Amino acid sequence: MTNSPNKNRKRIAVFIDGSSFYYLQRDCLRWWIDPSRILDWIDDNLGSVTDANYYASLGQDNNNNQHGYLTALAHNGFRVVTKNVKIFDRPDGTKGYKTSVEIDIIIDMFNTIDNYDEVVLVSGSGEYAKVMETLRARGKSIFVISTKGVIGSDLLFVAGSNFRDLADMRPDVEKNPN
């Protein structure tokens, strides 16, 4: 995280919905992103990143790769918030899986509202549309980073020109293959 000290720059709080972030890379983009490079892009293009938050869902098979990834995020300036996946029985007898990091993200956005000028959400979930609309009504600038094919139309409508497609950011944010 660059954290440029220029007081004339906007203070940016970043909130990454880890589940949405993972699936948009795996299923839609089909290439991997370095979250630290997203922070660098934000710092270069939007303002000073003052707070970076990453929310992850942990399954029962919480493996070493996920643990290593989350530890690396913490070492790169992210506050990492984890939540266990809840397993439930569906009426047809199959297992269902549910997490609710969305509520944690929303609560944190409002609990820290005085600490930022602009909120950057990295997610495609349309569930955040009303939240982003409310933050804008409370005087905050909003910005959404996601990708087409994943972003909910209601979230895209709220973001408008304050949406950036990760596909267009690839040279700036792709994880180096080495």
Side-chain angles (χ1 to χ4, degrees):
M1 195 168 13
T2 307
N3 281 339
S4 302
N6 185 341
K7 291 189 183 248
N8 294 327
R9 299 182 71 207
K10 283 188 208 176
R11 297 171 301 152
I12 309 289
V14 179
F15 296 86
I16 299 178
D17 179 334
S19 182
S20 175
F21 187 62
Y22 173 77
Y23 289 109
L24 72 82
Q25 292 172 83
R26 189 190 76 177
D27 299 340
C28 193
L29 294 173
R30 300 189 195 286
W31 49 271
W32 298 102
I33 297 165
D34 180 340
S36 296
R37 293 186 74 194
I38 288 180
L39 296 183
D40 291 340
W41 184 91
I42 292 167
D43 197 75
D44 290 344
N45 293 279
L46 301 177
S48 297
V49 176
T50 57
D51 209 8
N53 304 279
Y54 189 97
Y55 298 79
S57 301
L58 301 178
Q60 285 186 312
D61 61 344
N62 185 15
N63 61 37
N64 288 336
N65 287 342
Q66 185 178 26
H67 179 73
Y69 178 74
L70 297 176
T71 300
L73 287 173
H75 286 290
N76 284 298
F78 282 90
R79 175 178 157 257
V80 177
V81 178
T82 60
K83 195 158 201 175
N84 290 326
V85 173
K86 291 183 171 93
I87 301 170
F88 61 93
D89 293 319
R90 293 186 176 129
D92 67 1
T94 62
K95 298 284 183 199
Y97 303 90
K98 175 75 177 142
T99 61
S100 55
V101 296
E102 294 88 357
I103 196 72
D104 294 298
I105 292 171
I106 293 165
I107 289 169
D108 287 349
M109 284 177 167
F110 283 98
N111 279 343
T112 61
I113 197 167
D114 294 331
N115 300 339
Y116 61 84
D117 304 308
E118 182 166 7
V119 63
V120 175
L121 173 67
V122 182
S123 177
S125 176
E127 294 178 13
Y128 295 108
K130 187 65 176 174
V131 174
M132 298 299 272
E133 194 172 56
T134 303
L135 288 169
R136 181 185 287 141
R138 303 261 321 259
K140 300 302 174 180
S141 298
I142 64 162
F143 200 89
V144 176
I145 298 175
S146 187
T147 197
K148 292 178 182 139
V150 172
I151 188 167
S153 59
D154 41 358
L155 182 58
L156 184 59
F157 292 161
V158 170
S161 63
N162 292 333
F163 164 72
R164 184 68 186 232
D165 192 325
L166 283 160
D168 298 332
M169 298 169 66
R170 186 173 187 169
D172 298 316
V173 300
E174 185 172 19
K175 184 176 180 176
N176 294 330
N178 37 351

